[in-house]
Amino acid sequence: MRPASLPLNVTETRYMGDCLIPPNRRAKRERRRRAGTAHEEGRRCARVARVDIAVIGLGLIGGSALRALAAQGHRVLGYDADPATRATARTAAARAPQNARWQVTGTIRDVVAGARLVVVAVPLPALPRVLDEIAATGYSGLVTDVTSVKAPVRMLVEQRLQGRHQRLAGFVGGHPMAGKESSGFASADGDLFRDCAWVLCFEPGSTSLADWLDLAELVIGLGARVVPATAEEHDRAVATISHVPHLLATALAAAAADPLAGALAAGSFRDGTRVAATRPELIAAMCGGNAPAVGPALEGIIAALQDARAKLDAPDPIAALLPWLAPGHAMRAGWPAPMAAPLEIPARPDALLRLGRPGGRVRAVAADRSTVTVVRPAPRGPGGLLDDL
């Protein structure tokens, strides 16, 4: 690890619920469970050494990260380009519990000055300017981001933060799979990331394993489930399960302009169009920023819908539609996949990436950083998913 990188070494750690529990605490946990406090004990938590963290961009995700990190006891400073957002965040800090407050600065230089980790939480179009300002400060700690597309972010970091004759800052790309259709600091929620999947990108040959493990431990402390992936793997996956659904929801919402349709709309319309309420500029940034992956994914969905349209012209459209509907029904009925029991695997880049590809998750990082505790989808029988760990 670089001398100036983020030392997030755990000084006291508790892994509860589906993580490992030190043997000398098992009896105490059982007594508490029997006393009626099992619900709180069952929530994963990790107490880590206090870290100086900067959050740049205080919208829904950045504001939620600010609140969650402060609640974990870290010293957190925030910055947003909008003065009104900064004022709102300052007011909220004053109203937060004494041990979960944060500060808001007026410039990027001020917010990163004492930070060992910088969390960049701005839309993709604003990222080049923010990275330029971070580089101009000479910042040499660790940087992560929460942008919903990863390959373009990685290229921007290489060009603007790490490409000026020397590699100053470390970088681990990230994307918490959490959100709401509402945006802005007013919608921020310190519990937003609890039980969500949080992708942390590992790029063989460029990502520091020590940095990755440090950041994974921090994210686990927020209650999230860490999924390892490369930037390209992430972008292909989210094109199908996040970006294209935003386009489909918007198209469906626009097609329901008829007043009678609006009056009759109920659960199917509400659920199918929820993300259409997202600000258009945010949808454009995520889908346009991931165009190389979104294009083919959208073409696949269009082809499937055209097939469904053709079946409606069959002599018996009901019978014709049944085989078309079956695969989607089966997938949705089995989601989320049941997980196998936790186990330990080596904390190696190849093992981590093999874990993430079938949907495995990191739930704990060993104190000596040699292993990680993970869960994977349950095996499907001999030669199943767990055989290659």
Side-chain angles (χ1 to χ4, degrees):
M1 181 186 297
R2 303 173 315 280
S5 68
L6 176 67
L8 291 180
N9 296 327
V10 176
T11 56
E12 181 184 7
T13 306
R14 291 192 300 145
Y15 295 106
M16 296 299 184
D18 44 17
C19 296
L20 295 181
I21 306 169
N24 63 341
R25 297 194 182 182
R26 289 175 184 156
K28 181 182 290 187
R29 183 191 178 202
E30 181 62 16
R31 289 194 299 270
R32 289 177 178 171
R33 186 190 67 79
R34 291 175 179 174
T37 59
H39 176 73
E40 286 303 313
E41 285 291 295
R43 297 180 70 182
R44 289 193 308 277
C45 62
R47 290 200 297 268
V48 300
R50 191 176 89 158
V51 179
D52 293 331
I53 302 174
V55 179
I56 299 176
L58 302 180
L60 170 64
I61 302 299
S64 297
L66 186 84
R67 288 182 176 276
L69 290 165
Q72 286 290 307
H74 301 292
R75 180 176 178 269
V76 188
L77 276 71
Y79 168 79
D80 194 278
D82 177 36
T85 298
R86 295 199 299 268
T88 301
R90 287 192 184 100
T91 300
R95 295 173 178 171
Q98 186 69 35
N99 61 348
R101 292 181 178 175
W102 56 89
Q103 294 179 299
V104 179
T105 72
T107 68
I108 287 180
R109 177 173 293 276
D110 289 340
V111 81
V112 306
R116 287 183 287 176
L117 171 67
V118 173
V119 180
V120 180
V122 300
L124 184 63
L127 193 59
R129 177 185 61 80
V130 170
L131 293 177
D132 285 345
E133 291 195 43
I134 294 174
T137 70
Y139 179 75
S140 59
L142 178 60
V143 176
T144 188
D145 77 302
V146 295
T147 314
S148 63
V149 57
K150 300 269 60 80
V153 173
R154 185 187 66 185
M155 289 188 292
L156 285 169
V157 167
E158 291 173 351
Q159 295 167 0
R160 297 174 180 269
L161 202 59
Q162 299 178 334
R164 301 184 177 186
H165 308 297
Q166 58 179 332
R167 188 184 179 90
L168 291 176
F171 177 72
V172 176
H175 181 201
M177 303 302 297
K180 307 175 184 178
E181 64 274 17
S182 56
S183 59
F185 187 84
S187 298
D189 179 358
D191 288 327
L192 183 67
F193 309 117
R194 186 159 297 281
D195 295 324
C196 84
W198 191 311
V199 177
L200 289 181
C201 292
F202 195 98
E203 308 300 332
S206 62
T207 304
S208 161
L209 178 60
D211 286 346
W212 193 97
L213 292 171
D214 284 343
L215 191 55
E217 189 167 52
L218 184 75
V219 167
I220 290 168
L222 302 183
R225 302 168 281 130
V226 174
V227 180
T230 66
E232 286 75 13
E233 290 169 343
H234 165 277
D235 289 356
R236 285 195 301 270
V238 298
T240 299
I241 56 89
S242 177
H243 299 170
V244 168
H246 278 78
L247 299 178
L248 294 178
T250 302
L252 180 59
D258 175 67
L260 177 58
L264 300 179
S268 296
F269 181 79
R270 180 192 64 239
D271 296 343
T273 62
R274 180 182 63 83
V275 295
T278 305
R279 284 163 41 205
E281 59 268 30
L282 297 181
I283 298 177
M286 75 168 71
C287 295
N290 197 23
V294 171
L298 184 60
E299 287 173 355
I301 298 298
I302 291 172
L305 292 174
Q306 289 174 333
D307 187 28
R309 174 65 185 89
K311 293 184 184 304
L312 291 172
D313 291 330
D316 186 350
I318 295 176
L321 281 170
L322 285 174
W324 186 91
L325 293 165
H329 172 78
M331 188 280 166
R332 185 61 179 83
W335 177 84
M339 306 304 286
L343 72 160
E344 288 189 353
I345 66 170
R348 299 195 317 260
D350 60 331
L352 291 170
L353 290 174
R354 283 202 307 271
L355 168 74
R357 286 173 187 133
R361 308 155 185 171
V362 176
R363 297 214 171 180
V365 178
D368 64 1
R369 299 298 195 267
S370 64
T371 62
V372 289
T373 302
V374 306
V375 293
R376 293 186 71 172
R380 294 188 290 257
L385 293 174
L386 296 180
D387 289 357
D388 64 345
L389 284 175

